Amino acid sequence: MDFTLSEEQLMIQQAAKDFAQNELLPGVIERDEIQKFPKELVNKMGELGFLGMMVNEKYGGSGLDTLSYVLAMEELSKIDASASVMVSVNNSLVCWGLETYGSEAQKEKYLTRLATGEIIGAFCLSEPEAGSDATSQKTTALDKGDHYLLNGTKNWITNGNQAEVYLVIAQTDVEKGHRGINALIVEKGAEGFEIGPKENKLGIRGSDTHSLMFNDVKVPKENRIGEDGFGFKFAMKTLAGGRIGIAAQALGIAAGAYELALQYSKQRKAFGTEISNHQAIAFKLADMHTKIQAARHLVYQAACDKDNGNDYTLSGAMAKLYASEVAMETAVEAVQIHGGNGFVKEYHVERLMRDAKITQIYEGTSEIQKIVISRSILKD
């Protein structure tokens, strides 16, 4: 496959790189330290079109392809994964889900504001007892005629307090199993909708992660996405695309850690020469570079599959699995190359190492990706 980038794609890549270096980098250590959500920077990303990259222009989006989105995600993630995960959720899960499966009225009411960054959204699937297992939803949405009555708890929700629009997956008919699940649009401020305290996390500490509680929340029937019982399919289709965004985030974290390690190795001296001249360090850098390039090809392949209308379930899962493993391995090696300096915040690599870990967990753990992959390759 030819991954030669077009002039437009190169411009988008450079724009994301410039924004990351000029806007995200200053203050990134402090934001991580105090768990500060970069609200002002999010507004700027909305103005630049990063929050609705793949949305049709008629709904206020940039109308770009998935590969362009992946390129931007990689550059943003090199510097600040807390900011890039918010971009991923808004693009891959919320905007894509609404544009692909929402009604025209839902698109007009919510999508334009989401795509332009006027507001941001959240995707609410995970629960205390139902993380990657979407069939085990305990949150219920009882049919009350002209509305649903929503009850339950959602955990680990990115943009949990900053969002204005929430796509909530809930069980309407337990006897129907996964065919009894619905996806509902819930607005912030709805009566009975409560937001829990912000989670104190290991990594991506600037991202806004909360638990959400729904206590007899009335959701109008017109806020259901798709036909009755479509919620499980909606969640699975949306998550498949979400994996590509997280794979790109993992790729960016790995590339960012590698670039810092490479630069440091050419400056730091030991035993009379730059440490890059020592074979032990040079071999680490060679392995890092090779694995990152392999991960990049997997991520680009998944993006191209999506753009070309091919089934991207397998390629997306492989990209997410491998890129997240490379992100963790590369970040750890980057800390090792920095030695004692790698253990302090000033050099950034310790933060990238902490951020890398979550890429192996959200959008389905590595084990979940292996289930998806094995089912795909064994079904024939």
Side-chain angles (χ1 to χ4, degrees), residues 109-139:
K109 186 174 182 179
Y110 301 110
L111 185 56
T112 299
R113 298 171 67 204
L114 288 163
T116 58
E118 178 184 342
I119 60 174
I120 58 175
F123 184 80
C124 308
L125 174 65
S126 295
E127 298 182 359
E129 297 180 14
S132 301
D133 182 7
T135 62
S136 299
Q137 295 293 301
K138 301 300 182 185
T139 297

Side-chain angles (χ1 to χ4, degrees), residues 104-297:
E104 194 61 34
Q106 290 169 348
K107 294 175 189 178
E108 292 177 0
K109 186 174 182 179
Y110 301 110
L111 185 56
T112 299
R113 298 171 67 204
L114 288 163
T116 58
E118 178 184 342
I119 60 174
I120 58 175
F123 184 80
C124 308
L125 174 65
S126 295
E127 298 182 359
E129 297 180 14
S132 301
D133 182 7
T135 62
S136 299
Q137 295 293 301
K138 301 300 182 185
T139 297
T140 58
L142 300 182
D143 192 333
K144 295 295 183 179
D146 63 345
H147 68 275
Y148 291 101
L149 202 59
L150 186 64
N151 282 279
T153 300
K154 295 295 182 179
N155 277 17
W156 317 115
I157 305 303
T158 301
N159 302 336
N161 189 46
Q162 297 293 328
E164 295 290 337
V165 174
Y166 301 78
L167 306 188
V168 182
I169 311 302
Q171 185 80 54
T172 298
D173 191 335
V174 176
E175 293 183 359
K176 291 183 179 179
H178 71 275
R179 292 183 177 85
I181 294 174
N182 280 307
L184 307 175
I185 303 171
V186 180
E187 297 183 21
K188 189 175 187 178
E191 185 177 354
F193 178 17
E194 299 178 12
I195 299 172
K198 186 173 184 177
E199 300 290 353
N200 189 1
K201 306 187 297 294
L202 171 72
I204 56 167
R205 288 169 58 80
S207 71
D208 187 50
T209 309
H210 294 257
S211 291
L212 309 178
M213 285 73 73
F214 304 97
N215 303 295
D216 287 340
V217 177
K218 290 185 178 180
V219 183
K221 274 286 182 67
E222 58 263 29
N223 280 26
R224 186 186 68 208
I225 300 175
E227 297 297 321
D228 184 30
F230 181 69
F232 177 78
K233 185 176 180 180
F234 172 83
M236 293 301 97
K237 291 288 187 180
T238 305
L239 283 176
R243 292 187 185 109
I244 299 174
I246 297 306
Q249 182 190 42
L251 173 62
I253 292 171
Y258 164 74
E259 290 172 9
L260 288 171
L262 179 64
Q263 180 183 29
Y264 183 83
S265 73
K266 293 178 179 179
Q267 297 171 347
R268 176 73 172 180
K269 290 186 177 181
F271 303 103
T273 186
E274 290 79 9
I275 63 173
S276 59
N277 292 325
H278 296 298
Q279 194 174 75
I281 301 299
F283 280 11
K284 286 181 184 293
L285 293 168
D287 284 339
M288 293 160 74
H289 181 73
T290 301
K291 291 178 180 180
I292 289 169
Q293 193 64 9
R296 183 172 286 117
H297 277 74

